[in-house]
Amino acid sequence: MLTATVVGLGKIGLPLAVQFARSGIRVLGADVNPGVVDLVNAGSEPFPGEAQLADYLDQVVASGHLTATTDTAAAVAQSQVVVVVVPLFVDEEARPDFAWMDAATDAIADGLRADNDTLVIYETTLPVGTTRTRWKPRLEQRSGLVEGEGFHLVFSPERVLTGRVFADLRKYPKLLGGLGPTGTSKAIAFYEEALQFDERPDLARGNGVWDLGSAEAAEMAKLAETTYRDVNIGLANQFGIFAARHGIDVYQVIEASNSQPYSHIHQPGIAVGGHCIPVYPRLYLWNDPDATIVRAARDHNAGMPAYTVGLAVGAAGGDVTGQRVVVLGASYRGAVKETAFSGVFGTVAALREAGAEVLVHDPMYTAAELEKFGWTAYALGDPADVVIVQADHPEYAALGAEDFPGVRVVVDGRRTLDRTRFEGISFHVVGQADAPIGA
C-alpha cells in the first residue's frame, strides 16, 4: 500500500489527507499542533464548517488509513509521497514570510531517505520560481540528496475553497509541474490514484490531472487565476462607482454585458477578502513589480471599505461623530467563519477615523469572539443610527428596519438586503445609483 504524508492539517490539508485516505492510500498527517493531532486521531474535526469532513474523517481514522503525528521527519521517512500544505504567512502588503514553510521543509529534509525515492509536492500557493530556487536547494542541502536522484520535487497548487473542498477536488483539473520528468510522472500517477474527477465536457482537454510542463507554469497558473478575479472585481468596482455617479444601475449593465460569451464582469462590493484573492496578486507582484494593472486593481479594491464608509457618512449628512454605526459581518464572505483580510478591518478603521461609535455583528461569531478583535459586539434589536453590510451572510437577507431601532441610513456593501424592508430609510447599495435615470 502506498504511504503518503500530508504536512499541515489545516482547513485545506486535513480534507486533502482525508481524500487521499478515502482513496485507499495510507496517510500520515503531520502537524506541529499537538491539539490538532489529538483531535484527528480521535476522529474529530478540529474546525467546523467543512462539508462531509466530520463523517469522512471518522471513517478513515477508524479504518486505519489516516493517522496524525507531530513528528514530520518520522512520517516522511515512511512515505513514498509527501504533500505540503503549510501556510505561507504574509504581512498587510502580502509580502511573504516563509518561516513556517522553511521549518516544515527542514523537517521533511530530515526524513528523506535515498532508498525511498520520495516524491515531494508543494501545494501551498507560492511566488513563481519558489519551488526551484528555494525548496530544491534547501531540501538538497539539509538532506544531502540530489533532486531527481534521491528525491523528486513537484508543484501542484490547491484550487479549492474552504467549506466545499471535497466537491472542488472533483470539479477542477489537478494542475502540476515538476522539476524533472520522473517526478512529474510520479505525481501524475499519484493524483490519478488519490483523486476522482467529475466529467467536464466543457473542457477540451477533459477533467483530470494536467501537466503544465514546469513548476513555474504551475505556480503561475494559480496566481493567474486568482489575480484575474481581483483585477476583474477592481474593474467592476470602478464601473460601479462611475455608474452610481451618473444615475446608472451597474448591476443591470453587468447582466446585459455578460449576456454574450466574451464578457465575464464580476460584481462590485465593499471588499475583497480571504486568504486568496487579496493575497495572491501581491505574490505575483513579488516577481513582476511592473505589472501596473495588477497593482492598480489591488490598490483600488483595498480602498473600497473607505469608499463605502464615505457613502454612509455622506448619506448621514456628512458627519457620523458619536453615532452608533453597525457593521454587519466580520467574515470576509458569507457563510464562512473566517476574517482573513476581511473588509471589516478597513471598514471599522474608517468609521473610527470618522468619529463613529462602531459596533460589529456576525451570526457566526459570539460576542466574546468579536470583542477579542477589539470590537464592540452588536445585538439585533439594539439602537443604531447607521448600518453597513460588509458580509453577505444569508441570515441578513431577512433583516428589516425593525431590527435596527432608530436607523436612518443603510449602506449595503454586498447587495444582500431587501430594500422594501427599509421603507423611509436612506438606503444605498455599493455600485448602484440611488435614483437611476428614468426612475
Side-chain angles (χ1 to χ4, degrees):
M1 179 186 297
L2 178 68
T3 298
T5 290
V6 174
V7 183
L9 298 179
K11 292 186 177 181
I12 304 299
L14 180 57
L16 203 61
V18 170
Q19 167 63 36
F20 297 163
R22 294 185 70 237
S23 298
I25 296 168
R26 176 180 178 242
V27 180
L28 303 174
D31 199 281
V32 296
N33 187 330
V36 168
V37 168
D38 289 344
L39 285 170
V40 170
N41 283 332
S44 299
E45 56 179 349
F47 44 82
E50 185 59 53
Q52 301 175 299
L53 178 60
D55 290 339
Y56 291 167
L57 176 61
D58 180 65
Q59 294 168 11
V60 295
V61 170
S63 70
H65 281 85
L66 174 61
T67 305
T69 178
T70 56
D71 193 338
T72 299
V76 171
Q78 304 174 56
S79 302
Q80 293 80 52
V81 179
V82 177
V83 177
V84 188
V85 203
V86 173
L88 171 61
F89 288 101
V90 297
D91 63 17
E92 291 184 356
E93 290 299 314
R95 289 172 294 209
D97 176 358
F98 290 102
W100 279 36
M101 293 198 73
D102 284 345
T105 298
D106 290 346
I108 292 166
D110 290 343
L112 291 177
R113 302 289 182 267
D115 55 348
N116 281 350
D117 200 32
T118 311
L119 170 65
V120 181
I121 305 172
Y122 283 84
E123 290 212 6
T124 305
T125 304
L126 302 168
V128 173
T130 305
T131 305
R132 190 181 303 273
T133 63
R134 191 180 191 93
W135 305 140
K136 176 179 180 289
R138 195 176 190 97
L139 288 168
E140 287 182 333
Q141 181 177 3
R142 191 169 179 103
S143 70
L145 303 176
V146 177
E147 197 283 327
E149 298 176 12
F151 71 95
H152 305 277
L153 194 52
V154 168
F155 179 76
S156 178
E158 53 85 6
R159 306 178 74 202
V160 297
L161 279 179
T162 55
R164 64 183 205 199
V165 171
F166 295 106
D168 285 351
L169 285 172
R170 299 183 63 93
K171 186 175 182 181
Y172 305 125
K174 188 59 176 150
L175 312 180
L176 62 83
L179 299 192
T182 301
T184 300
S185 297
K186 284 176 171 286
I188 292 171
F190 169 70
Y191 282 123
E192 286 180 343
E193 178 179 352
L195 303 177
Q196 297 80 45
F197 297 95
D198 295 335
E199 291 292 328
R200 289 284 304 276
D202 58 309
L203 300 175
R205 191 168 172 175
N207 202 0
V209 182
W210 289 16
D211 173 18
L212 299 191
S214 70
E216 289 78 8
E219 289 165 338
M220 184 174 177
K222 178 57 185 285
L223 297 180
E225 66 184 34
T226 46
T227 298
Y228 160 78
R229 294 178 64 192
D230 195 46
V231 171
N232 194 317
I233 294 168
L235 181 63
N237 281 329
Q238 290 201 327
F239 285 160
I241 291 171
F242 175 85
R245 288 173 179 165
H246 292 80
I248 300 168
D249 183 349
V250 76
Y251 295 97
Q252 182 172 247
V253 169
I254 291 172
E255 181 183 18
S257 298
N258 291 351
S259 66
Q260 51 91 338
Y262 306 108
S263 179
H264 308 280
I265 305 170
H266 291 1
Q267 299 291 301
I270 185 173
V272 179
H275 293 284
C276 300
I277 302 179
V279 175
Y280 299 157
R282 294 293 190 192
L283 295 185
Y284 176 79
L285 287 165
W286 183 258
N287 293 116
D288 188 6
D290 297 325
T292 54
I293 294 173
V294 175
R295 188 176 304 280
R298 179 83 300 271
D299 291 346
H300 185 76
N301 287 339
M304 285 303 293
Y307 166 80
T308 305
V309 169
L311 293 180
V313 172
D319 187 10
V320 292
T321 303
Q323 295 189 31
R324 289 171 60 87
V325 181
V326 176
V327 179
L328 294 180
S331 298
Y332 77 87
R333 67 178 172 94
V336 172
K337 189 177 182 179
E338 177 59 71
T339 60
F341 291 90
S342 171
V344 69
F345 298 105
T347 303
V348 169
L351 285 168
R352 286 177 172 170
E353 186 176 347
E357 177 189 350
V358 187
L359 305 98
V360 178
H361 176 274
D362 194 298
M364 305 196 77
Y365 289 83
T366 65
E369 288 173 325
L370 293 175
E371 288 163 4
K372 285 182 180 178
F373 287 101
W375 305 320
T376 300
Y378 174 80
L380 295 175
D382 287 349
D385 298 302
V386 178
V387 171
I388 297 177
V389 179
Q390 194 285 133
D392 54 343
H393 290 306
E395 294 90 340
Y396 291 159
L399 297 179
E402 67 277 6
D403 296 299
F404 310 98
V407 66
R408 298 180 295 108
V409 174
V410 173
V411 178
D412 189 347
R414 299 292 185 181
R415 202 188 178 203
T416 193
L417 298 177
D418 181 350
R419 183 190 291 262
T420 64
R421 294 177 179 267
F422 293 88
E423 293 294 339
I425 307 299
S426 180
F427 191 97
H428 311 266
V429 177
V430 171
Q432 191 170 63
D434 298 331
I437 294 173

